[in-house]
């Protein structure tokens, strides 16, 4: 009897297990096995079907299909989202990420914008003072006696080259008539101007990409250690090449400003509308491409540079229009709606573009804080005692923003728009210059404080105190391809020998370069947003 009862209990358990298995069989398995035919009224729960409910409904309802039964099923059928919790949680997080993108992106854009402002104001404020100090040292050195190994420090040589390039290009820009260029562009058709504006944008990116290499080659050729004095002759062709580049780039930006000015002054505003719609075409060309974090970092830097350049172009357009109307403040309110439309379209396009790029490539919104920390690291590292490069050069490499051509054009426009007569005018210019110096110093202090906070928050302060390894001799001859994190600090022969000894003691693992690139190692401005060289 005990054996029979135990056997019956085991058979009942097996029957219950078999029933549970049958109830969890998917519809595809049942259809393939032929145990259940296809019926239109199977209650579905995310791919699983309740067999007992199916059999109960088959007994209650007639076998003949009807329209009433179909409508009733459509109105009463249910589904349970909690059975696929992971999928719907992920989709909700994507929505939250898209909602966070405008805030995080604008934080990066504002920080990068003030970095560009700092590099741009440097040309007008501190660069003239540094050139004067270099000239003072150059003229007073024969009187004080030549005791050092260098006539000028490398930074002073670079400053004098920048100042000389600015003066020569500004003198050459006097021979370019802005009014004639404006009327020449105004006589063209709308479609032709639209094509010209697109070509100018592409040319500006090409000039920015190649121009920094030209300037780097000039600075390195002028400051590299030379065994013979006649090696200094190589500076001359590099200098003329740099002057030619800055002059051509300034003319190209002038044509851009003239085209934008024509769009502002056109009666039907058709050209301005087409130029603004061109920004939305940019979304189509970038949203549906594959992006990684490094590629998105390059695109973000390019957007910062483009936004700052567009603001300077709007300033130039406002100056030219105000001059034509004898500085009547009422005309400024006429220009304000158009300026607001251009700025709003720029911001909207950037937000939409980055929101969908992060959505399609599964990139979180926190990546923009990493980008901001990387830019802050450049600023903090450039403030060290033996920095590898000047901060303006670092900004140019990161964002493709070269302030020299834009500064030449702005000086040319301001000098032609504002007439200086009398001692009062020159006093106002002096006060304006002192105000710019104050703004530059204040901006630099705030940026440096914020950068220290961002670097500390990202736990990157240890990299600031790493000793830069000595670069090989082959890379020293090609500075445009050298990594700034491996540049040599300016020191005398004893310090160089100590650095060589320390480099010899480093483990062999650190001598091999890893294939994966960190954000701090990327310093080349690329034209394509989805490619890192």
């Amino acid at each position: 009897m005990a054996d029979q009862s135990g056997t019956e209990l085991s058979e009942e358990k097996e029957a219950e297990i078999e029933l549970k298995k049958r109830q969890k069989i998917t519809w595809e398995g049942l259809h393939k096995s032929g145990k259940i035919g296809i019926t239109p009224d199977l209650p579905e729960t995310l791919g699983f079907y309740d067999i007992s409910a199916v059999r109960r409904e088959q007994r209650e309802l007639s076998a003949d299909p009807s329209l009433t039964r179909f409508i009733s099923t459509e109105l009463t059928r249910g589904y349970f989202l909690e059975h696929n919790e992971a999928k719907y949680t992920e989709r909700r997080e994507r929505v939250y990420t898209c909602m966070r993108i405008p805030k995080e992106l604008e934080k990066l854009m504002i920080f990068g914008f003030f970095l560009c402002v700092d590099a741009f104001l440097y040309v007008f404020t501190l660069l003239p003072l540094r050139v004067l100090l270099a000239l003072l040292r150059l003229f007073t050195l024969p009187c004080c006696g030549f005791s050092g190994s260098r006539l000028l420090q490398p930074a002073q040589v670079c400053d004098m080259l920048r100042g000389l390039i600015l003066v020569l290009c500004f003198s050459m820009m006097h021979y370019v008539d802005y009014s004639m260029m404006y009327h020449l562009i105004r006589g063209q058709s709308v479609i032709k101007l639209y094509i010209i504006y697109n070509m100018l944008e592409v040319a500006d990116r090409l000039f920015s990409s190649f121009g920094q290499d030209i300037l780097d080659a000039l600075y390195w050729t002028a400051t590299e250690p030379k065994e013979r004095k006649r090696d200094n002759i190589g500076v001359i062709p590099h200098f003329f090449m740099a002057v030619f580049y800055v002059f051509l780039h300034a003319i190209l930006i002038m044509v851009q400003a003239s085209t934008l000015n024509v769009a502002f002054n056109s009666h039907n505003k058709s050209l301005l509308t087409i130029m603004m719609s061109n920004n939305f075409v940019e979304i189509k060309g970038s949203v549906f491409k594959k992006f990684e974090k490094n590629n998105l970092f390059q695109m973000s830097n390019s957007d910062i540079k483009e936004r700052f350049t567009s603001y300077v172009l709007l300033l130039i357009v406002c100056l030219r229009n105000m001059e034509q109307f004898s500085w009547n403040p009422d005309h400024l309110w006429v220009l304000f709606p158009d300026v607001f439309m251009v700025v709003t379209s720029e911001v909207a396009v950037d937000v939409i573009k980055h929101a969908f790029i992060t959505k399609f490539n599964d990139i979180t919104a926190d990546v923009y804080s990493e980008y901001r920390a990387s830019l802050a690291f450049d600023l903090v590292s450039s403030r060290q005692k033996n920095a590898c490069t000047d901060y303006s050069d670092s900004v140019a490499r990161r964002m493709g923003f070269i302030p020299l051509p834009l500064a030449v054009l702005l000086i040319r426009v301001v000098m032609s728009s504002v007439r200086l007569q009398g001692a009062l005018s020159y006093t106002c210019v002096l006060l304006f210059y002192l105000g710019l110096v104050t703004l530059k110093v204040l901006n630099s202090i705030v940026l440096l404080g914020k950068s220290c906070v961002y670097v500390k928050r990202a736990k990157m302060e240890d990299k600031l105190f790493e000793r830069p390894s000595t670069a090989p001799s082959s890379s020293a001859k090609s500075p445009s391809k050298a990594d700034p994190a491996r540049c040599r600090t300016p020191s005398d022969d004893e310090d160089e020998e100590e650095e060589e000894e320390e480099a010899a003691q480093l483990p062999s693992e650190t001598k091999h370069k890893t294939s994966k690139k960190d954000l701090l190692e990327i310093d080349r401005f690329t034209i394509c947003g989805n490619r890192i060289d």
Side-chain angles (χ1 to χ4, degrees):
M1 292 296 291
D3 295 338
Q4 292 179 356
S5 61
T7 306
E8 291 177 356
L9 291 174
S10 62
E11 290 178 354
E12 289 179 359
K13 290 182 179 180
E14 291 178 358
E16 290 178 359
I17 294 173
E18 185 68 23
L19 181 60
K20 290 181 180 179
K21 288 184 179 179
R22 289 179 179 178
Q23 289 179 352
K24 292 184 179 179
I25 296 176
T26 59
W27 167 254
E28 293 181 357
L30 291 173
H31 177 56
K32 290 179 181 178
S33 61
K35 295 180 180 180
I36 281 186
I38 302 176
T39 58
D41 53 355
L42 287 177
E44 181 185 354
T45 307
L46 292 178
F48 295 94
Y49 295 86
D50 192 353
I51 299 177
S52 60
V54 171
R55 292 173 178 173
R56 184 170 58 255
E57 290 181 3
Q58 285 180 346
R59 288 193 302 267
E60 293 176 355
L61 300 176
S62 60
D64 297 332
S66 64
L67 180 62
T68 306
R69 287 175 51 200
F70 178 79
I71 295 176
S72 176
T73 304
E74 288 295 318
L75 293 177
T76 59
R77 66 185 179 91
Y79 46 86
F80 299 94
L81 301 182
E82 61 266 19
H83 288 185
N84 205 345
E85 181 180 354
K87 181 179 71 173
Y88 290 101
T89 303
E90 181 184 358
R91 292 182 178 179
R92 185 175 62 183
E93 291 298 327
R94 288 182 182 179
V95 175
Y96 292 164
T97 300
C98 289
M99 295 174 64
R100 286 182 58 197
I101 287 299
K103 179 182 176 181
E104 298 296 329
L105 177 64
E106 288 306 312
K107 285 182 179 179
L108 174 66
M109 288 288 178
I110 292 173
F111 184 73
F113 175 80
F114 283 104
L115 293 180
C116 293
V117 169
D118 191 66
F120 192 59
L121 289 179
Y122 173 82
V123 179
F124 300 99
T125 56
L126 299 186
L127 182 60
L129 298 178
R130 291 175 64 94
V131 171
L132 289 178
L133 290 177
L135 290 175
L136 185 62
R137 173 182 170 83
L138 189 63
F139 292 148
T140 58
L141 194 60
C143 301
C144 300
F146 184 75
S147 57
S149 59
R150 297 192 181 197
L151 186 62
L152 290 175
Q153 294 297 323
Q156 293 176 330
V157 175
C158 295
D159 292 334
M160 290 193 64
L161 289 174
R162 288 195 191 100
L164 195 56
I165 290 173
L166 278 175
V167 172
L168 289 178
C169 292
F170 175 72
S171 302
M172 295 166 65
M173 286 294 290
H174 274 289
Y175 295 98
V176 180
D177 193 352
Y178 186 93
S179 301
M180 183 187 70
M181 184 180 298
Y182 172 79
H183 290 289
L184 182 64
I185 294 174
R186 190 175 183 180
Q188 308 298 324
S189 61
V190 174
I191 301 300
K192 187 182 292 186
L193 287 179
Y194 173 68
I195 297 174
I196 290 175
Y197 192 77
N198 289 336
M199 293 173 61
L200 290 175
E201 284 189 347
V202 176
D204 180 62
R205 295 192 178 187
L206 294 176
F207 271 66
S208 300
S209 177
F210 190 60
Q212 185 59 36
D213 291 336
I214 294 176
L215 296 176
D216 286 342
L218 171 64
Y219 300 152
W220 175 245
T221 306
T223 58
E224 67 176 340
K226 301 178 179 63
E227 298 179 356
R228 298 172 297 181
K229 291 185 177 180
R230 62 182 180 180
D231 293 338
N232 294 319
I233 301 177
V235 179
I236 299 176
H238 285 86
F239 177 75
F240 283 111
M241 189 186 302
V243 171
F244 185 65
Y245 152 71
V246 174
F247 177 67
L248 286 183
H249 200 175
I251 291 179
L252 183 122
I253 300 174
M254 178 182 284
V255 177
Q256 275 186 303
S258 301
T259 309
L260 189 61
N261 198 3
V262 170
F264 269 60
N265 294 330
S266 59
H267 296 289
N268 52 4
K269 305 294 181 182
S270 58
L271 180 59
L272 185 62
T273 305
I274 293 175
M275 290 168 61
M276 288 171 52
S277 64
N278 188 37
N279 294 329
F280 291 90
V281 177
E282 184 183 354
I283 298 177
K284 178 182 177 182
S286 57
V287 162
F288 302 105
K289 292 181 180 179
K290 179 64 178 177
F291 278 88
E292 295 182 358
K293 291 173 65 175
N294 295 342
N295 310 120
L296 185 59
F297 182 47
Q298 287 293 335
M299 171 170 282
S300 303
N301 291 332
S302 178
D303 291 338
I304 293 171
K305 174 254 179 183
E306 183 180 353
R307 186 178 293 190
F308 180 80
T309 305
S310 64
Y311 291 165
V312 177
L313 291 179
L314 290 175
L315 176 62
I316 293 174
V317 169
C318 291
L319 288 176
R320 295 298 301 177
N321 279 274
M322 293 297 290
E323 181 201 0
Q324 296 298 324
F325 287 88
S326 302
W327 298 96
N328 186 7
D330 295 335
H331 184 68
L332 189 61
W333 296 105
V334 178
L335 295 173
F336 181 75
D338 296 333
V339 174
F340 180 76
M341 287 170 55
V342 173
V343 173
T344 305
S345 65
E346 286 280 347
V347 175
V349 166
D350 290 339
V351 169
I352 295 173
K353 181 174 64 177
H354 284 266
F356 281 98
I357 287 175
T358 53
K359 177 183 182 300
F360 293 149
N361 295 277
D362 293 329
I363 301 176
T364 61
D366 297 330
V367 73
Y368 292 101
S369 62
E370 299 178 14
Y371 299 160
R372 191 173 53 190
S374 180
L375 295 178
F377 182 87
D378 290 340
L379 176 59
V380 177
S381 60
S382 66
R383 300 291 180 177
Q384 290 180 328
K385 181 179 180 181
N386 291 326
C388 300
T389 181
D390 184 56
Y391 175 67
S392 59
D393 297 334
S394 178
V395 171
R397 278 193 279 273
R398 286 286 188 187
M399 304 179 186
F401 171 66
I402 304 177
L404 290 180
L406 203 58
V408 169
L409 178 61
L410 187 59
I411 295 173
R412 167 72 173 83
V413 172
V414 171
M415 293 294 290
S416 62
S417 301
V418 180
R419 304 298 173 85
L420 299 178
Q421 295 179 354
L424 183 60
S425 300
Y426 291 100
T427 305
C428 293
V429 170
L430 180 60
L431 293 176
F432 182 73
Y433 173 75
L434 294 178
L436 286 180
V437 173
T438 306
L439 180 62
K440 168 68 174 67
V441 173
L442 180 62
N443 187 36
S444 300
I445 293 174
V446 174
L447 283 177
L448 186 59
K450 289 290 185 181
S451 299
C452 292
V453 173
Y454 296 149
V455 170
K456 187 176 181 180
R457 189 179 299 169
K459 299 179 181 180
M460 298 164 58
E461 62 268 16
D462 294 338
K463 296 183 180 182
L464 291 172
F465 305 103
E466 292 180 356
R467 297 279 295 185
S469 60
T470 56
S473 59
S474 60
S475 64
K477 295 179 182 179
S478 57
S480 61
K481 297 182 181 180
D483 194 350
R486 313 161 109 217
C487 64
R488 301 172 63 180
T489 58
S491 58
D492 27 13
D493 298 335
E494 296 180 357
D495 294 337
E496 291 178 358
E497 292 176 0
E498 291 178 0
E499 289 178 0
E500 291 177 358
E501 292 177 359
E502 291 179 1
Q505 295 175 358
L506 291 175
S508 59
E509 296 179 357
T510 59
K511 296 181 182 180
H512 298 284
K513 297 176 68 176
T514 58
S515 58
K516 186 178 179 180
K517 292 185 177 181
D518 190 68
L519 289 177
L520 293 177
E521 297 178 3
I522 302 173
D523 62 343
R524 305 308 307 158
F525 172 74
T526 54
I527 303 167
C528 301
N530 58 345
R531 178 173 61 86
I532 299 294
D533 293 333

